[in-house]
Amino acid sequence: MIGLALGLSEPGAKYQRPTGTDREISVNSKWPKLMLMSGATSAWLIYDMTTATEAPRQAVAVLQYGLLACALFGLVGSLLMFASQK
């Protein structure tokens, strides 16, 4: 399996992933996608928590706040990584 991976990363290969040395902003970068996903998840969780008609069970509330914290952490991290690419 390792030999296959080394064979695929030949220097003369036609299609290689960019190494990031040219510092161009790529549309295919993972940071804008991560920003979109974590932002949408955060917005959905905040909307869900604020429009709830009754208080959820404690386990569900802990899960929601944990997911919200992870989504916000991902959003901030992806914003910082995207800003450091420029």
Side-chain angles (χ1 to χ4, degrees):
M1 190 70 176
I2 294 174
L4 177 64
L6 291 175
L8 292 176
S9 63
E10 296 177 9
K14 199 174 200 181
Y15 299 104
Q16 285 190 349
R17 256 185 116 146
T19 57
T21 56
D22 55 4
R23 304 299 264 176
E24 290 182 11
I25 296 177
S26 172
V27 177
N28 295 326
S29 175
K30 65 181 175 181
W31 302 118
K33 295 173 192 171
L34 186 62
M35 282 189 282
L36 180 65
M37 289 188 305
S38 57
T41 303
S42 300
W44 173 64
L45 283 168
I46 290 171
Y47 173 78
D48 190 41
M49 284 189 236
T50 56
T51 60
T53 56
E54 59 184 38
R57 293 185 178 182
Q58 185 178 3
V60 175
V62 168
L63 179 66
Q64 281 182 328
Y65 283 116
L67 289 172
L68 180 60
C70 290
L72 291 174
F73 184 73
L75 179 62
V76 170
S78 61
L79 284 170
L80 291 174
M81 291 301 290
F82 183 72
S84 70
Q85 286 181 349
K86 290 187 176 183

